[in-house]
Structures are given as C-alpha cells and as structure tokens.
Amino acid sequence: MAVYTDVSDEELETFIDSYDIGALTSFKGIAEGVENSNYLVHTARGPFILTLYEKRVRPEDLPYFLGLMEHLAAAGISCPLPVRDREGRILRELAGRPAVLISFLEGLWVRRPSIEHCAGLGRALARFHLAGVDFSMTRENDLSLPGWRALFDAIGASADGVIPGLKDTIARELDYLGANWASGLPVGVIHADLFPDNVFFLDDKVSGLIDFYFACNDMLAYDVAVCLNAWCFEPDTSFNITKARALLQAYERERTLTEPELDALPLLARGAALRFLLTRTYDLLNTDAGALVKTKDPSEYLRKLRFHQRVRSFRDYGLGAH
C-alpha cells in the first residue's frame, strides 16, 4: 500500500456520505506497498480501507479483483470485502481515480516470519488455490515472461545505475527462462504477490489475506514459488530450508503438488525472483520522490535469484521424494 494521490477532507467527506457507514471521523495515508494509494478511514461504524487505483492498475481489471474478493469470502477465505454504497455500487471515482472502500481486516503482518507462520501461510495458500477453482472470471498474468521483457525494455541501461552489471544479468536470465519456461502445469487463480505484508495473523494463526491486485490465472506452482522467495529467506538473504519445508508440507496437506510441478519449482522460483527484481528496479527508477511510498531494494532479489540458479532439485527446498 502507498499514497500517490492526495484526497482533500471535503472530497472524502462527500464520498463517505454516500455510504451507510456513519460519518467520517478521521483518515490517514498508508505508506507501505508500492501500487495504489491507500487510506485508513475511520467512521462512526469503525475502520475501513479506501483504495485509489493508480496508473499501473487497468480499470478493466477491477471487476476481476473485486469479484474475486467476494467469491473468496463466500468460499470461507478470510479477506476484505468491497463495501457497496447506498446505490449498490462498489467501484466509484475519487480525486480523479477509480476508488473502492473495503472492509477492515483484523490482524497484523509479521516482519520476521517464524516456521509456524510459514506453515500457516502454506495452508492458507493451498486453501486459496482450492477456493478459486470455480471462480468464473479469468485474467492473464501480465507480469509473466512477456511482461518481464517489457519491463526490461523500459528499464534499459538505467539498470546498471541501480546495480552495476544488472542489465546483462537480467538479459541472460530472460533468455534462459524464455527457452526453458514451464508449461502444462495445473493452472488456476493465483495471488501472485503473497508477501508477509499481505497476510494477517492473530495469535500466530492466519486471520486473512489482503491485496488481490496482482491476482490472475496462471500456474499454481508459480504462486508457491513466489512465497518461497517472500517467506523463506532471512534478512541476510540466506535461505532457510526449515521454513521452506514447513511451507511446502503445510501446502501439500491441503493440495498435493504434482511431480511436474515439483520438478519445475526451481525454474519457477528463478522466474519469481526475476519478476520482483525487475519491478523493484523499475519502481526505484520511476517513483515520484514526493509520493508517500517506501521503495524496496532490488538487490535483495538479485541475491535470491543467484541462490535459485544454483538449485538443482525441489529437494533443495526441503521436500523429500514423493
């Protein structure tokens, strides 16, 4: 979450008055994240999250994201729900941006996930994948191979100003992944961005999943690979195989990974690391210095990519043979 677009007191009061949630009492911007503008809004009925969708989010994708949240909630997945105004509308406009008010989810995200947190995440991810099986809408993953190449073209030689030699490193990895990328694996709805700050816990138990604005239809095992990158490395970027084992074993207690998925896991983990290396580099080069947003360090994902390049088998992630 972040704030790129400012909203005046008067604009927000008028906006909130169109909902049956009581009068506005306070609001503040949320600096975490990088994609949309987010505010914590308090009314007489309690807290809500207001999201203004910025330029990277296409308006035509919003029905997919919002419909998915409603579908998941109906399937028993704890996640925020879009709030309808008095006219039954979910998607609105505020300060010149598409805007949605969503329910507030109780819980905290953990900055240093434990083994137990990783296991909880694994279970929640598998249940999310199973709940999405009968979701009728589809959306292509625009941050897979073609999207990575487009980002690389946009970054160009500027990458070397972020990390020396980064341009050639990315070019070589794109060529490798383009020649070897997985196909024919089980496909479904994936979150695609299930980092610790998108998973809430209460008493060390998952209380809910948030931020579905990268969700799409792609290989389910790719989502697992994203989580290996996001949850199973320590602050010094050393890989914690015990956390990875806990995540994968918990996932498999809910949904068994197929042999082809397991065999592809090192490749998918490389792709996931490259994806976040690219987007972090792009954001670092293109974020407005005046925006209330914390840019993230691309070098973290360069180190993770190098780790996955050395992996030869899914067993290196802590799983035994099936």
Side-chain angles (χ1 to χ4, degrees):
M1 298 180 178
V3 174
Y4 300 92
T5 299
D6 289 325
V7 179
S8 70
D9 294 5
E10 294 77 13
E11 285 177 309
L12 186 55
E13 285 175 357
T14 301
F15 182 83
I16 293 299
D17 283 345
S18 66
Y19 292 83
D20 188 21
I21 58 172
L24 177 69
T25 58
S26 68
F27 73 102
K28 65 177 181 179
I30 301 172
E32 293 172 344
V34 295
E35 290 304 317
N36 302 307
S37 293
N38 291 274
Y39 292 87
L40 176 61
V41 174
H42 285 268
T43 77
R45 297 281 181 85
F48 298 86
I49 300 294
L50 170 66
T51 297
L52 279 66
Y53 299 101
E54 300 294 342
K55 295 178 181 178
R56 188 180 282 179
V57 177
R58 297 190 299 262
E60 59 267 28
D61 287 335
L62 291 174
Y64 178 92
F65 302 142
L66 301 173
L68 177 61
M69 282 190 265
E70 291 190 313
H71 176 87
L72 292 172
I77 302 297
S78 178
C79 66
L81 264 176
V83 180
R84 296 182 182 271
D85 68 10
R86 290 193 179 93
E87 297 180 22
R89 298 172 296 178
I90 291 176
L91 187 59
R92 302 282 306 282
E93 183 174 303
L94 180 62
R97 299 288 190 209
V100 168
L101 194 68
I102 62 173
S103 62
F104 182 83
L105 194 65
E106 294 289 346
L108 297 171
W109 69 273
V110 293
R111 283 156 175 79
R112 289 288 300 272
S114 67
I115 294 169
E116 291 74 21
H117 292 131
C118 291
L121 177 276
R123 284 191 297 273
L125 179 63
R127 291 170 181 172
F128 166 82
H129 287 165
L130 294 172
V133 166
D134 57 350
F135 183 54
S136 60
M137 301 177 73
T138 60
R139 176 180 178 267
E140 184 179 354
N141 185 358
D142 53 13
L143 282 174
S144 191
L145 273 170
W148 300 341
R149 288 203 173 274
L151 275 172
F152 180 56
D153 291 342
I155 293 166
S158 299
D160 287 344
V162 176
I163 302 171
L166 183 59
K167 181 175 181 291
D168 287 345
T169 297
I170 293 174
R172 288 193 299 270
E173 188 65 12
L174 279 171
D175 288 344
Y176 177 82
L177 293 175
N180 296 280
W181 195 236
S183 63
L185 301 182
V187 170
V189 178
I190 69 169
H191 186 284
D193 192 42
L194 206 53
F195 276 61
D197 58 352
N198 288 330
V199 182
F200 285 178
F201 288 83
L202 283 173
D203 298 324
D204 291 332
K205 305 292 184 184
V206 173
S207 63
L209 311 180
I210 68 167
D211 202 351
F212 295 91
Y213 303 116
F214 288 105
C216 57
N217 295 76
D218 205 339
M219 294 174 285
L220 299 178
Y222 175 74
D223 224 10
V224 176
V226 169
C227 291
L228 284 173
N229 276 287
W231 290 77
C232 301
F233 286 84
E234 297 303 317
D236 64 358
T237 330
S238 61
F239 184 70
N240 189 319
I241 194 170
T242 307
K243 290 182 178 180
R245 182 183 299 114
L247 190 160
L248 293 169
Q249 287 180 342
Y251 181 94
E252 288 215 290
R253 281 193 284 272
E254 304 291 333
R255 176 187 173 267
T256 302
L257 292 161
T258 67
E259 291 293 343
E261 284 180 304
L262 289 169
D263 290 340
L265 202 53
L267 183 72
L268 297 174
R270 286 176 67 160
L274 180 66
R275 175 263 195 254
F276 291 103
L277 173 59
L278 281 163
T279 50
R280 287 187 175 194
T281 301
Y282 180 89
D283 289 337
L284 188 67
L285 292 168
N286 290 278
T287 297
D288 183 351
L292 178 57
V293 58
K294 299 176 182 177
T295 54
K296 297 179 179 179
D297 180 14
S299 66
E300 174 188 345
Y301 270 84
L302 178 58
R303 295 190 294 272
K304 291 178 180 181
L305 173 60
R306 287 171 174 159
F307 169 82
H308 296 302
Q309 287 172 337
R310 298 191 298 271
V311 169
R312 292 293 173 262
S313 165
F314 67 85
R315 296 173 182 84
D316 295 334
Y317 298 123
L319 277 183
H322 274 210

